[in-house]
Amino acid sequence: MFFNTKFFGLQTAEEHMQLSFTNVVRQSRKCTTPRGTTKVVSIRYYAPVRQRKGRDTGPGKRKREDEAPILEQRENRMNPLRCPVKFYEFYLSKCPESLRTRNDVFYLQPERSCIAESPLWYSVIPMDRSMLESMLNRILAVREIYEELGRPGEEDLD
């Protein structure tokens, strides 16, 4: 949730509740840099399209605002312990496999009793809005969130 707030710019519980296992995906691609070709791994969020209401949005017409933004979190090779891609992969590994294709849920409630060695840490029960809001209030108190939100899209491959 921290990285989704920091890198995707999600600041409300409503925005976080739009995340799902089908619209947040891991992606890798090759990228050419002055130092050569490198593999870039990231998590992408394909946000829902927001239809703009207006008189000039008839059939066949599409406003730029109607296009779904694609938000990205790149891997942190310099510090794997703070890598959003690694956290995402680990989260997926601890979620029930039956939920990984759902388009209506992303954050799950933790299992009541589990240990570090347990194959699953999360239940099939979605996290409720009040729990999300409580966690989000704590995250939004962290200065680092605002430092990232203030930067225009930087292209740092490391």
Side-chain angles (χ1 to χ4, degrees):
M1 193 171 184
F2 175 82
F3 287 124
N4 293 336
T5 303
K6 179 177 179 177
F7 295 114
F8 291 158
L10 307 179
Q11 295 195 341
T12 66
E14 184 62 38
E15 289 172 327
H16 279 275
M17 291 176 80
Q18 290 179 4
L19 293 174
S20 73
F21 286 109
T22 59
N23 67 10
V24 177
V25 295
R26 181 188 181 278
Q27 179 178 349
S28 63
R29 64 185 185 281
K30 292 190 179 195
C31 184
T32 304
T33 67
R35 295 180 286 186
T37 302
T38 185
K39 181 178 166 185
V40 177
V41 180
S42 64
I43 302 167
R44 283 193 162 189
Y45 169 43
Y46 296 88
V49 176
R50 293 196 197 288
Q51 296 295 324
R52 183 176 173 189
K53 305 277 190 255
R55 59 182 167 194
D56 58 347
T57 56
K61 293 187 179 181
R62 191 173 161 151
K63 295 289 183 191
R64 187 165 180 81
E65 300 86 42
D66 292 346
E67 295 175 10
I70 300 171
L71 304 169
E72 185 174 59
Q73 299 180 39
R74 290 194 175 172
E75 72 180 327
N76 182 345
R77 292 185 205 150
M78 300 300 286
N79 188 354
L81 296 176
R82 302 266 305 155
C83 177
V85 175
K86 299 246 186 269
F87 275 98
Y88 171 76
E89 291 169 343
F90 185 73
Y91 178 64
L92 281 182
S93 75
K94 296 299 184 177
C95 290
E97 195 165 338
S98 62
L99 296 181
R100 294 184 204 163
T101 57
R102 298 260 308 258
N103 65 359
D104 63 339
V105 66
F106 186 75
Y107 296 111
L108 302 171
Q109 289 188 20
E111 283 287 353
R112 290 194 180 270
S113 60
C114 77
I115 56 174
E117 295 80 25
S118 296
L120 295 179
W121 288 3
Y122 299 95
S123 71
V124 297
I125 303 167
M127 195 173 293
D128 62 43
R129 179 184 208 87
S130 65
M131 193 179 297
L132 274 174
E133 287 173 343
S134 175
M135 291 173 62
L136 187 58
N137 284 338
R138 291 179 184 199
I139 290 169
L140 290 172
V142 178
R143 183 183 316 178
E144 182 181 342
I145 293 292
Y146 301 100
E147 292 168 358
E148 186 65 33
L149 290 173
R151 293 183 201 162
E154 293 180 359
E155 298 296 307
D156 179 22
L157 297 177
D158 292 334

